[in-house]
Amino acid sequence: MIKEILVVALLSGGHYVGDDNNVRGITQSLKDKGFNNVQYEVVIQKSPDGKYSLDNEKIYAIQDTLDQQNTLVVAAGLDGIDALAQLKKGEGNIFVWSGHQVTSKLESNMDRLNGIVVPESAVNESVKEELGKRKIKLIKTVGVPHNKSKEEVIKAYEAWDKPNMPADQKFLLVSLPGDAPDASGTMHYYTKESAEKLGNQLGNIARDNNMLMLVTNGPRTGQYDPDTAKKLQTHGKDDPIDAVSAAFLAGAQQKLDSTKIIFADFKFGIPSMFNVFLGAVLENPDSIAVIGGDSTSQVTEATNLLKPDQGIVTGK
């Protein structure tokens, strides 16, 4: 039976959290349909100097599995493309890739794919035609798959060592945007100027509505110098706050007392406060969340879990 097939889920081990949640969301759906033989494999390794690369030994081991039994391989994002490119697909193997957009890197590695999972907004006639020519099944979604639940984020909020505040405290969650490429590979930068302006605007809203502002960022926030396109050293354990996040906070503090702002700086290797802050919005009526448009994963998670009038997506 098809449900007896082995499902191998390729993970980045936290290199790209949204991609890992994507894979876990797909595999959870498969489990719900009776595919119980699921094997998770972290295929990305981190060197002592902080650089990420494919774990070739893990790839070799997965290849041995593919050579011996019928296997459905599920991968997501850039790491998933790299991993699938190193695996040989034999008879009885199925390769499925999921992501938020169809990039040139994906296009050059499509031949081994049986199916791709992407948001409907990322699909144009050219993509449909190309997939049709290659006989690759297209699975369109509203956002990207994920495994986040209301129960999970509310539990995170309840476990939070909260500051003293009224029981009916309203929140304004801000998840700051960052620098990200479009499908063609062109990088779009979220600048200090845009961040300061956003801080001003949201500071006004929080002050006028007596809200506590919960601010977090992500690995892409402030990661590049827009003038030189140079990648900066940010979000490491000992790195200072990035310039874009600092500009947002400066803008917010022009309108809102600093005691009304809680900032949680994203650090690699340390769990993000996004779940905690999202749980705060879910648990407290009249709270809202402003989510950076660069993260399709966070946008999908927030809009799936929040009430329709609680979520706002921002870009620049």
Side-chain angles (χ1 to χ4, degrees), residues 18-19 22-23 26 73-78 80-81 84 95-101 106 113 115-119 139 141 143-146:
D19 291 337
N22 187 332
V23 169
I26 292 173
V73 182
V74 180
L78 297 176
I81 296 172
L84 290 174
F95 286 6
V96 174
W97 178 87
S98 180
H100 69 279
Q101 61 185 358
L106 175 64
L113 296 179
I116 70 167
V117 182
V118 288
I139 303 170
T141 56
V144 293
H146 67 88

